[in-house]
Amino acid sequence: PQSILFVFFFPWGGRILRTMTGIHLLFTAALLSSCSRIAVQANSWWSLAMNPIQRPEMYIIGAQPLCSQLTGLSPGQRKLCQLYQDHMVYIGEGAKTGIKECQYQFRQRRWNCSTVDNTSVFGRVMQIGSRETAFTYAISAAGVVNAISRACREGDLSTCGCSRAARPKDLPRDWLWGGCGDNVEYGYRFAKEFVDAREREKNYPKGSEEHARTLMNLMNNEAGRRAVYNLADVACKCHGVSGSCSLKTCWLQLPDFRKVGDHLKEKYDSAAAMKINRRGKLELKNSRFNPPTADDLVYINLSPDYCLRDENTGSLGTQGRLCNKTSEGTDGCELMCCGRGYDQLKTVQVERCHCKFHWCCYVKCKKCTEIVDQFVCK
Ligand SMILES: *[C@@H]1O[C@H](CO)[C@@H](O)[C@H](O)[C@H]1NC(C)=O
Ligand SMILES: *[C@@H]1O[C@H](CO)[C@@H](O)[C@H](O)[C@H]1NC(C)=O
Ligand SMILES: *[C@@H]1O[C@H](CO)[C@@H](O)[C@H](O)[C@H]1NC(C)=O
């Protein structure tokens, strides 16, 4: 079923054909005009990533006004800020980690996860319940789990410490369990409280478009948190006479965040298209597919094609983007420039070359310049 989903939902493939017929464009326009009526708040806790909280000490002394100074928090999140002031800096860090990973994963695509300004962070593009929006919610929730779990382990938070996860059953009997592990249980729980607070406060009419969007956000937040939780693994360290490794101490360790990004990117490719039913539940648009699990991403609106700059949708367009002339993928000039063509630029690249090792101990290099062709979308 996974591979079938992949074929059906793989983003740009089918879209190009539809774009050529023009029907798709009309459809997008209709979709967007219906979307613009939905006031999804652009302002969000993500802005914590943009206004780094410089001094965590300030939170610890209980300087309450700081919580009211932070922009983008919902009322519930503001309350949590007052209760857990020392967590806020890690939420900001987590959001930033998530956004950076998003930009890495999407660097070769038309929508490249670029942020536009400080308060709305992603601009209006998040108002559409697209699969890009789904990914963004998931990866930033994952970033928060990651940052909080690690902060617990580092002893930076007053309400948590090392992981208390039970010893895995399959750990060899003579290995010790009990190094200080990343507290993913706490990270997961706190991120659920904090990140979901904004959605849970909303009280939209059951079955409405806004209600659908709230449910979508909640599901994607959950998928993001679970990615970190499920990918956390046992790490061990050897002890014993010079490298004999006769004794091992093991603990729970967060995954490398790149792994979380790769995992969620796969979930993006196989994301499930949903609609809201009369009972106010999200259900598959196409009931032939398997329903999504709690680990999967879901979306409710088709993506715009992100070809042109559009203030209404927040699409930045691809004019001026670098593309690869020989690639047939999403970074290829054909797809990236949406058929508008591209300009060829000659740029001078300076590289280190002819490096020689000198005794002892440094490396000396020459600077070589090379003229390379670059291609830029019209
Ligand atoms: C956004 O933040 C950066 C630095 O954090 C600042 O230089 C810039 O002026 C801000 N832009 C806006 C629109 O507030
Ligand atoms: C992402 O796209 C925007 C708009 O096309 C562009 O301004 C920006 O430089 C791109 N970012 C990267 C990292 O390529
Ligand atoms: C362009 O794409 C080709 C084919 O996918 C690849 O081999 C090459 O390394 C890419 N060039 C750059 C500059 O990324």
Side-chain angles (χ1 to χ4, degrees):
Q2 203 76 344
S3 63
I4 295 174
L5 282 178
F6 188 84
V7 173
F8 273 85
F9 288 140
F10 194 70
W12 307 119
R15 187 153 302 142
I16 310 153
L17 287 174
R18 276 178 282 144
T19 307
M20 294 206 300
T21 63
I23 292 167
H24 176 64
L25 283 177
L26 285 176
F27 186 71
T28 308
L31 181 80
L32 294 179
S33 61
S34 76
C35 275
S36 55
R37 271 179 274 123
I38 306 169
V40 178
Q41 221 166 346
N43 201 357
S44 145
W45 63 273
W46 290 327
S47 60
L48 293 181
M50 301 293 139
N51 309 307
I53 300 158
Q54 302 295 348
R55 293 177 45 216
E57 315 85 81
M58 292 171 71
Y59 289 86
I60 295 160
I61 22 182
Q64 284 226 350
L66 277 166
C67 287
S68 46
Q69 277 166 27
L70 295 176
T71 55
L73 299 186
S74 73
Q77 287 173 329
R78 209 167 288 288
K79 280 204 188 98
L80 286 168
C81 171
Q82 276 152 11
L83 288 170
Y84 300 95
Q85 295 198 20
D86 58 352
H87 289 45
M88 299 314 287
V89 66
Y90 300 99
I91 293 173
E93 265 182 33
K96 203 190 258 172
T97 306
I99 292 169
K100 261 171 75 183
E101 182 60 26
C102 178
Q103 290 175 342
Y104 172 82
Q105 294 291 342
F106 285 82
R107 67 200 180 284
Q108 296 183 334
R109 290 175 167 260
R110 290 182 193 158
W111 178 77
N112 63 4
C113 204
S114 50
T115 52
V116 287
D117 64 49
N118 300 347
T119 49
S120 64
V121 185
F122 291 102
R124 301 180 63 121
V125 73
M126 289 294 124
Q127 293 185 6
I128 303 166
S130 66
R131 64 168 81 217
E132 289 74 33
T133 301
F135 183 88
T136 310
Y137 275 71
I139 197 93
S140 30
V144 173
V145 178
N146 191 73
I148 297 285
S149 308
R150 179 55 54 85
C152 290
R153 166 184 173 169
E154 300 284 327
D156 292 332
L157 300 178
S158 56
T159 46
C160 61
C162 305
S163 165
R164 295 211 212 121
R167 181 190 173 92
K169 290 209 172 60
D170 53 355
L171 200 70
R173 285 181 61 193
D174 47 346
W175 295 6
L176 298 174
W177 179 249
C180 182
D182 291 311
N183 199 338
V184 280
E185 306 83 7
Y186 184 92
Y188 173 90
R189 269 186 284 125
F190 185 80
K192 195 174 170 77
E193 280 280 314
F194 184 86
V195 177
D196 286 358
R198 142 162 264 131
E199 309 299 331
R200 298 207 179 283
E201 285 161 26
K202 294 172 183 164
N203 204 1
Y204 294 124
K206 208 171 179 179
S208 65
E209 192 67 8
E210 290 89 344
H211 183 212
R213 180 54 196 274
T214 302
L215 296 175
M216 167 186 154
N217 292 346
L218 285 171
M219 285 186 75
N220 294 321
N221 289 346
E222 178 66 13
R225 288 190 293 267
R226 278 174 178 244
V228 179
Y229 192 93
N230 292 337
L231 290 169
D233 205 359
V234 172
C236 300
K237 192 167 76 181
C238 282
H239 305 282
V241 192
S242 54
S244 69
C245 206
S246 52
L247 195 64
K248 275 191 178 186
T249 309
C250 307
W251 60 89
L252 191 66
Q253 179 143 309
L254 283 169
D256 181 16
F257 204 72
R258 177 57 32 85
K259 252 175 112 176
V260 176
D262 291 343
H263 170 86
L264 289 174
K265 180 68 189 325
E266 279 174 29
K267 294 294 182 188
Y268 163 89
D269 288 331
S270 63
M274 309 295 279
K275 63 172 192 231
I276 196 150
N277 63 22
R278 276 193 222 101
R279 285 171 294 128
K281 296 258 184 334
L282 282 188
E283 65 180 23
L284 281 172
K285 265 193 183 142
N286 184 339
S287 55
R288 275 186 303 140
F289 297 130
N290 287 339
T293 69
D295 296 320
D296 292 324
L297 298 188
V298 298
Y299 64 96
I300 51 176
N301 300 135
L302 285 181
S303 305
D305 59 21
Y306 301 111
C307 281
L308 298 174
R309 191 179 183 87
D310 183 342
E311 301 287 336
N312 287 326
T313 64
S315 166
L316 297 175
T318 62
Q319 192 187 2
R321 287 283 298 277
L322 287 176
C323 61
N324 182 334
K325 196 182 168 195
T326 51
S327 167
E328 289 181 2
T330 52
D331 62 334
C333 292
E334 204 48 46
L335 283 180
M336 182 64 82
C337 310
C338 309
R340 294 187 307 263
Y342 49 87
D343 293 319
Q344 183 167 352
L345 302 178
K346 298 229 179 276
T347 55
V348 181
Q349 238 170 35
V350 183
E351 278 182 353
R352 279 152 48 102
C353 57
H354 306 301
C355 294
K356 274 210 186 96
F357 179 76
H358 289 261
W359 188 265
C360 179
C361 294
Y362 64 97
V363 176
K364 214 172 173 180
C365 296
K366 288 198 170 129
K367 273 188 192 161
C368 295
T369 54
E370 201 188 349
I371 298 196
V372 287
D373 287 326
Q374 281 191 330
F375 303 92
V376 174
C377 290
K378 286 193 185 183

